[in-house]
Amino acid sequence: MARRFELDRPRLRAVAYRILGSLGEADDALQDAWLRADRADTSGVENPSGWLTTVVARVCLNMLRARDTRREQPLDDSADRGPAAAVATGFEGPADPAEEAQLADEVGVALLIVLDTLGPAERLAFVLHDMFDVPFDDIAAMLGKTPAATRQLASRARRRVRGVPVPDADLPRRRRAVDAYLAATRGGDFDALVSLLHPDVVLRADAAVVPTPEPVAVAGVERVARGAMASMGRARSAGVVLVDGRVGMAMAENGRLRVVLRFTFADDGLIAGIDVIAEPGRLNKLDIAGIG
């Protein structure tokens, strides 16, 4: 089983990363899964790879459920995981930010953000079935549900990930504007960003964004653009999504939703308003979905 685990480790890590959205948590899950596998009687296991996938998925499901009980707590992904982690996962010390960013790009930042808005059962069903071809019967056993109910979970998740078509003729133009905003912010292109903003643009940020004791409002093209340039680091982990049915942007930290930008547009298509949301209570009330 140890040899099988080592051979399957890249795939198992990929499963854990897509379920959890965090490289550090994925490595934690693999460590826990290996300890469980090492203690188990596997003499009757006919499909070791499938069995190991199930063990990893169950550990990830428990982690998702625990995460749901503390969604409003700050992230702390820097704890030392100890020498056992290196044995089980090939992981030493905190997750590499560069590797984390590369994985997020490979999977899709927007996808990870939308996945974070799903319930644990929906997320598990979608990831295992749609991304790794695990049969619904096997997923149903993990969730304690019927295969039919598990199919419904995956179907609901699929609709949210892919996005529901919005009857808005301006949607393509507004998406291009938000795509350009994100590209300019990531690239530090101040002039390109200014060209997207209405002369009377206003940015409003809640108290958790900076953070500050009170919400902040900034008006004027140059002041808003300079504020956006200050968020270049966050923009690396941002993606374009639907926010309450309108084109917006969301930023994640280790696959976890942390900041959302809602945009309003002037008649000429320029960005006239930006609402920056980071307070957990406000984030939890937003409807985040992919753009189909």
Side-chain angles (χ1 to χ4, degrees):
M1 190 58 69
R3 180 174 178 274
R4 183 74 262 165
F5 189 96
E6 181 59 28
L7 290 172
D8 287 354
R9 183 161 60 83
R11 181 178 184 274
L12 297 173
R13 196 180 193 220
V15 169
Y17 178 71
R18 283 153 180 79
I19 294 175
L20 296 169
S22 162
L23 185 56
E25 288 187 329
D27 285 328
D28 283 347
L30 259 66
Q31 177 186 352
D32 191 353
W34 167 245
L35 293 175
R36 293 174 185 231
D38 191 42
R39 293 193 298 261
D41 178 7
T42 58
S43 58
V45 174
E46 297 180 359
N47 178 4
S49 292
W51 184 81
L52 286 170
T53 299
T54 297
V55 173
V56 169
R58 288 183 185 275
V59 169
C60 291
L61 181 62
N62 291 338
M63 293 173 71
L64 285 179
R65 286 170 172 165
R67 179 192 292 178
D68 264 10
T69 67
R70 50 182 171 82
R71 290 190 69 89
E72 299 197 5
Q73 294 182 8
L75 285 178
D76 181 5
D77 200 36
S78 59
D80 183 12
R81 294 165 178 81
V87 176
T89 67
F91 175 82
E92 297 180 5
D96 180 357
E99 185 181 8
E100 186 97 46
Q102 180 182 350
L103 281 172
D105 284 343
E106 290 174 359
V107 177
V109 175
L111 172 59
L112 290 173
I113 290 168
V114 176
L115 286 176
D116 187 50
T117 69
L118 302 177
E122 288 180 333
R123 184 165 184 165
L124 191 84
F126 173 80
V127 169
L128 291 182
H129 181 266
D130 285 39
M131 295 184 172
F132 294 97
D133 298 319
V134 177
F136 280 123
D137 287 354
D138 294 350
I139 303 170
M142 299 179 208
L143 296 174
K145 297 182 179 293
T146 66
T150 305
R151 286 190 183 90
Q152 287 297 316
L153 289 171
S155 179
R156 287 202 301 268
R158 197 177 301 123
R159 288 195 297 270
R160 180 163 291 277
V161 167
R162 294 178 179 175
V164 179
V166 179
D168 183 353
D170 288 330
L171 184 67
R173 182 174 67 164
R174 290 175 177 175
R175 179 172 186 177
R176 287 193 296 270
V178 177
D179 281 336
Y181 180 98
L182 177 56
T185 306
R186 281 181 172 174
D189 192 335
F190 186 84
D191 292 337
L193 189 58
V194 166
S195 71
L196 299 168
L197 303 176
H198 188 272
D200 298 323
V201 63
V202 177
L203 180 147
R204 294 179 174 85
D206 65 34
V209 174
V210 178
T212 59
E214 300 292 337
V216 173
V218 177
V221 171
E222 291 200 3
R223 292 185 67 198
V224 170
R226 282 197 298 270
M229 289 294 101
S231 66
M232 283 178 60
R234 279 180 170 173
R236 177 67 179 172
S237 59
V240 179
V241 294
L242 287 178
V243 181
D244 295 333
R246 299 162 63 182
V247 182
M249 205 167 85
M251 299 176 183
E253 183 180 352
N254 296 327
R256 311 271 289 279
L257 181 64
R258 285 303 181 214
V259 181
V260 166
L261 276 65
R262 292 192 301 200
F263 296 87
T264 55
F265 294 86
D267 292 340
D268 58 6
L270 295 176
I271 296 171
I274 307 171
D275 185 17
V276 188
I277 302 167
E279 292 177 354
R282 296 184 69 199
L283 288 176
N284 291 339
K285 294 177 182 177
L286 297 176
D287 181 17
I288 309 294
I291 301 181

